[in-house]
Amino acid sequence: MGKTLFQKVWESHSVATLSNGQTQLLIDTHLIHEVTSPQAFGMLRDLGLKVAYPQRTFATVDHIVPTDQREEPFSDSLADAMIKELNRNAKEFGVTYFDLRSGKQGIVHVVGPEQGITQPGTTIACGDSHTATHGAFGAIAFGIGTTQVRDILATQTMALSPMKVRRINVDGELRPGVYAKDVILHIIRLLGAGGGKGYAYEYGGSIFDGFTMEERMTVCNMSIEGGARAGYVNPDEKTFEYLKGRPYSPKGEEWDKAVAAWRAVASDADAVYDDVVNIRAEDVPPTVTWGVSPDQAIAVNEQVPTVESGTNAEQRISIQEALEYMKLEGGAPIKGTKIDVAFVGSCTNGRLSDFREVARFLKGKKVAGHVKAIAVPGSQIVDVLARQEGIDQVFTDAGFEWRGAGCSMCLAMNPDKLVGDQLCASSSNRNFKGRQGSPTGRTILMSPLMVAAAAVTGEVADAREVFALSA
Amino acid sequence: MALTKVTQIAGTAVHVPGTDIDTDRIIPARFMKCVTFDGLGEFAFYDVRKNPDGTDKPHPLNDERFKGANILLSGANFGCGSSREHAPQALYRFGFRAVIAESFAEIFFGNCTTLGIPCAVAAHNDIVALAKEVERNPKLEVTVDLLEGKVFFEDQEFAIIVPHTAREALTTGQWDPIAELLENKDAVDAKIRELAVVA
């Protein structure tokens, strides 16, 4: 009987069975950042332990870095204390650190792949729920809490129970103006924010075969919003092509050996899945969220649900709560909803291809007068590459601010926050209450091009109409 | 590491209704600007408990009647979203020692277990019935019994589900796995050597 990639990687990385029945799993690569690691290093010190395999831990700073003024010390004393702590911990424990001066700093889930650290068939963990991003390379990658960060620092392993595997096939052709972001928002809408509980999602089908690595990353990134702790795409020629020649990729003879191993780790043709979901690509519309959970999503040309449309009492309460918070009216079109802020960036959609795609259509257009629009590259490397292509210029000419690399307004732990009940058209991954830094701030998730359409028109808009894409 | 055996949590309960209550709601990101977990308790559910000027909003956790409750009742997919351990840390520091909900997001569940906080899954109707009783009598003594797999209150009881591995870890006082992980260092080294040959 064939095996899934998940099973193969799980088996090859199992070190022992623990007394409670969980598996002690070897973690090949540990990524850390300033928010969820300081307490873990504190615990190590309390226990008198060192980092067991420091060459397997890679640090960067992303959540709290300002995107405008980036000189240390930061004006926010709490943020400054955090970066100082990471500076100190990286040095003291001897882990590789892509700091602000390295030219390689960025969102941890952008940095790993672009450095070639993220590789097929490996296990990757990070104290951040969007670690599933790295699954785009056929890695088993998941988010963990700080105590587990400690466990991995101290032992390069963690205690974990295996997951089931749900295969999600998307086949056919995506319509113009429909992007990877729409695919994952659509999947979450169909399966629910808790639908992936207990599963790793294996994404496949002709759409994923055709997707670039960056598109695959966008989808895998939001597995957690669907309740799946990990999500992956089987490695293929595109994966190898992307990794070839990157700083941490294998070189020379090692490369050939690695590619052979990577090929072998993909799910077998006769692999058995715990569940299979089939989606027609033609059915995926440009999708936007309307509520306060990522599964509260609709097509851009649909109406916001009414309370009555809820199928049970809980659902009706949820809809009502979301409508009240979002200040939207059930039954009204989402299109035309006035926005205040537009944000292109995040570990979901802050890569070169995201900015490149927007720039293609933004040229010659202007951001509406009342909209504050910011573009935040996912890494310093993305920033440099975008500048080389003149992409930053297209954004700034249109009225966007082009910023330095970081998580920025996705979770607003830096100064980039919504104010009051501002509504943000955002290419990020979460529309939770207060997510973007204001307790009453409102978020509508969408693809980067849809954010651009909203920025230009000043309201939620259909990018296909705004940018004359043939539907 | 010999830790407390978590077999039974007794005390009073409070119901925070809702589905998909996420970790941003449990602890807003701006309160994560810290290098220790100390003091997170006061920020638990902050934005749904407080107005922008710092005054209280109507919320079960602000209700004097439920002050001191150590068992939290909630809905489906509790703790979804961010993997931040700050969420269970904030709940623990607020005073909670157990959570009963219809279902839990996995990372949150794992984080709670590692801190010795049991997360018990119960049927919607059972949670609602208990919440009604608690509303009627906020001082109602509630017991979460992990060995029995039940919640007891007055002369009533209902079943809870705690996955075997978590139940084992909690009830035997081995909910922090670090000691066991460290013990297997030789096996880890061997595994790393073995995998190095492949890649």
Side-chain angles (χ1 to χ4, degrees):
Chain A
M1 189 154 67
K3 288 179 179 170
T4 62
L5 177 143
F6 184 90
Q7 287 169 308
K8 294 180 195 184
V9 176
W10 184 269
E11 285 166 16
S12 64
H13 287 72
S14 294
V15 173
T17 302
L18 299 169
S19 57
N20 69 356
Q22 285 192 299
T23 299
Q24 180 170 3
L25 194 73
L26 178 76
I27 302 301
D28 291 311
T29 304
H30 188 198
L31 305 169
I32 62 170
H33 60 80
E34 75 283 9
V35 180
T36 53
S37 70
Q39 295 87 344
F41 283 112
M43 296 174 200
L44 276 198
R45 285 192 185 92
D46 291 346
L47 294 165
L49 296 169
K50 291 193 161 36
V51 175
Y53 304 90
Q55 70 281 14
R56 289 172 172 266
T57 297
F58 299 89
T60 191
V61 58
D62 51 12
H63 286 60
I64 53 114
V65 284
T67 55
D68 43 7
Q69 177 286 117
R70 294 159 68 81
E71 296 304 306
E72 291 179 54
F74 297 154
S75 55
D76 176 344
S77 61
L78 292 172
D80 195 61
M82 290 173 87
I83 193 169
K84 280 198 169 58
E85 192 73 6
L86 184 60
N87 297 346
R88 172 173 87 114
N89 287 330
K91 198 166 163 177
E92 187 177 321
F93 289 93
V95 304
T96 304
Y97 178 26
F98 304 115
D99 67 2
L100 282 167
R101 287 180 300 275
S102 66
K104 299 172 182 172
Q105 171 268 339
I107 307 175
V108 67
H109 310 311
V110 177
V111 171
E114 75 187 1
Q115 291 299 323
I117 292 165
T118 302
Q119 293 176 13
T122 59
T123 48
I124 300 176
C126 172
D128 189 284
S129 59
H130 290 107
T131 307
T133 310
H134 307 267
F137 292 80
I140 298 302
F142 38 80
I144 53 174
T146 296
T147 300
Q148 291 164 322
V149 173
R150 173 207 66 183
D151 293 347
I152 297 172
L153 290 173
T155 71
Q156 207 57 43
T157 62
M158 62 178 283
L160 201 67
S161 302
M163 301 165 210
K164 293 179 288 186
V165 181
R166 172 180 287 149
R167 167 87 179 189
I168 301 176
N169 291 305
V170 186
D171 283 295
E173 285 213 27
L174 293 173
R175 298 180 187 282
V178 176
Y179 293 95
K181 180 61 160 287
D182 301 300
V183 171
I184 186 61
L185 285 172
H186 186 73
I187 290 171
I188 295 163
R189 177 189 180 180
L190 289 182
L191 302 178
K197 199 179 134 45
Y199 286 100
Y201 281 176
E202 178 180 297
Y203 302 100
S206 66
I207 293 303
F208 286 94
D209 294 344
F211 270 169
T212 63
M213 292 312 295
E214 296 194 348
E215 289 171 313
R216 293 175 188 181
M217 282 187 247
T218 293
V219 174
C220 290
N221 170 274
M222 284 185 73
S223 301
I224 188 72
E225 273 69 43
R229 198 168 178 174
Y232 66 90
V233 176
N234 282 308
D236 61 10
E237 298 307 316
K238 279 189 179 160
T239 318
F240 314 146
E241 190 55 37
Y242 178 100
L243 286 172
K244 204 173 170 85
R246 293 191 179 259
Y248 287 85
S249 294
K251 308 276 181 294
E253 268 174 51
E254 291 300 313
W255 171 258
D256 297 337
K257 267 201 281 192
V259 169
W262 294 345
R263 257 189 241 287
V265 87
S267 293
D268 299 328
D270 59 341
V272 177
Y273 297 92
D274 299 288
D275 190 39
V276 178
V277 172
N278 294 307
I279 294 168
R280 273 170 29 103
E282 290 75 12
D283 295 343
V284 181
T287 302
V288 296
T289 57
W290 59 268
V292 293
S293 171
D295 58 355
Q296 292 176 318
I298 50 176
V300 66
N301 47 20
E302 280 183 84
Q303 283 77 39
V304 176
T306 58
V307 174
E308 296 70 44
S309 69
T311 49
N312 57 39
E314 279 69 47
Q315 222 180 34
R316 286 190 286 273
I317 292 167
S318 286
I319 294 172
Q320 178 147 12
E321 191 185 8
L323 290 174
E324 279 171 19
Y325 184 86
M326 292 298 290
K327 299 183 172 153
L328 293 174
E329 205 181 315
I334 189 90
K335 222 166 77 170
T337 306
K338 184 174 160 290
I339 68 148
D340 307 292
V341 178
F343 171 57
V344 181
S346 85
C347 58
T348 314
N349 281 123
R351 295 180 185 82
L352 184 62
S353 57
D354 296 311
F355 296 105
R356 197 185 270 156
E357 183 66 8
V358 171
R360 254 184 0 124
F361 294 99
L362 197 60
K363 239 191 180 82
K365 296 267 195 299
K366 284 276 182 250
V367 170
H370 68 273
V371 173
K372 179 186 173 70
I374 64 170
V376 183
S379 70
Q380 291 178 334
I381 289 175
V382 170
D383 185 17
V384 167
L385 295 174
R387 286 172 190 275
Q388 284 172 358
E389 294 183 23
I391 290 171
D392 64 315
Q393 200 61 50
V394 175
F395 273 84
T396 51
D397 286 350
F400 270 82
E401 295 171 38
W402 185 266
R403 298 289 193 80
C407 300
S408 179
M409 205 177 257
C410 172
L411 83 168
M413 282 189 75
N414 75 340
D416 307 334
K417 296 178 193 305
L418 296 182
V419 180
D421 68 355
Q422 278 184 328
L423 196 154
C424 180
S426 184
S427 71
S428 57
N429 44 51
R430 289 193 175 134
N431 55 339
F432 296 155
K433 290 180 178 182
R435 171 75 180 180
Q436 294 189 288
S438 161
T440 50
R442 298 171 293 155
T443 305
I444 296 186
L445 303 176
M446 54 185 81
S447 74
L449 193 67
M450 290 280 285
V451 173
V456 166
T457 58
E459 55 192 33
V460 176
D462 189 337
R464 295 170 300 189
E465 294 163 5
V466 177
F467 301 117
L469 291 160
S470 53
Chain B
M1 210 172 322
L3 299 160
T4 323
K5 291 179 178 168
V6 182
T7 54
Q8 242 193 21
I9 306 288
T12 56
V14 59
H15 185 216
V16 177
T19 49
D20 299 326
I21 290 182
D22 58 78
T23 50
D24 274 84
R25 201 168 324 168
I26 297 168
I27 183 83
R30 63 186 186 281
F31 301 121
M32 297 203 295
K33 282 195 270 185
C34 53
V35 293
T36 71
F37 291 124
D38 302 341
L40 281 179
E42 62 180 292
F43 303 120
F45 285 100
Y46 192 88
D47 289 341
V48 283
R49 286 198 300 125
K50 301 281 183 183
N51 292 307
D53 64 2
T55 54
D56 280 1
K57 286 184 190 176
H59 189 273
L61 298 188
N62 289 336
D63 192 326
E64 277 303 314
R65 295 178 304 150
F66 307 119
K67 221 177 166 59
N70 60 347
I71 298 167
L72 178 63
L73 311 175
S74 196
N77 203 25
F78 186 82
C80 61
S82 157
S83 60
R84 61 190 66 164
E85 190 176 299
H86 304 68
Q89 292 277 3
L91 294 178
Y92 187 88
R93 284 166 164 73
F94 192 85
F96 291 113
R97 293 296 176 269
V99 189
I100 305 170
E102 289 171 54
S103 61
F104 293 91
E106 281 173 83
I107 303 178
F108 176 85
F109 180 94
N111 287 343
C112 282
T113 307
T114 310
L115 298 178
I117 308 169
C119 289
V121 170
H124 172 77
N125 293 346
D126 288 332
I127 293 172
V128 170
L130 174 55
K132 269 203 182 106
E133 287 300 315
V134 169
E135 181 62 34
R136 211 172 46 81
N137 172 18
K139 293 292 159 244
L140 179 76
E141 176 83 8
V142 179
T143 304
V144 181
D145 193 317
L146 296 180
L147 294 171
E148 294 270 346
K150 284 183 180 152
V151 168
F152 298 97
F153 56 101
E154 279 176 336
D155 57 347
Q156 301 182 56
E157 60 176 66
F158 60 78
I160 49 171
I161 299 167
V162 179
H164 171 79
T165 52
R167 200 181 74 149
E168 193 64 21
L170 290 162
T171 56
T172 59
Q174 300 194 54
W175 33 270
D176 184 340
I178 186 76
E180 214 178 340
L181 296 177
L182 285 164
E183 272 169 27
N184 294 336
K185 187 170 177 10
D186 291 350
V188 176
D189 287 342
K191 175 57 76 177
I192 285 178
R193 280 195 302 274
E194 175 198 329
L195 288 173
V197 177
V198 181

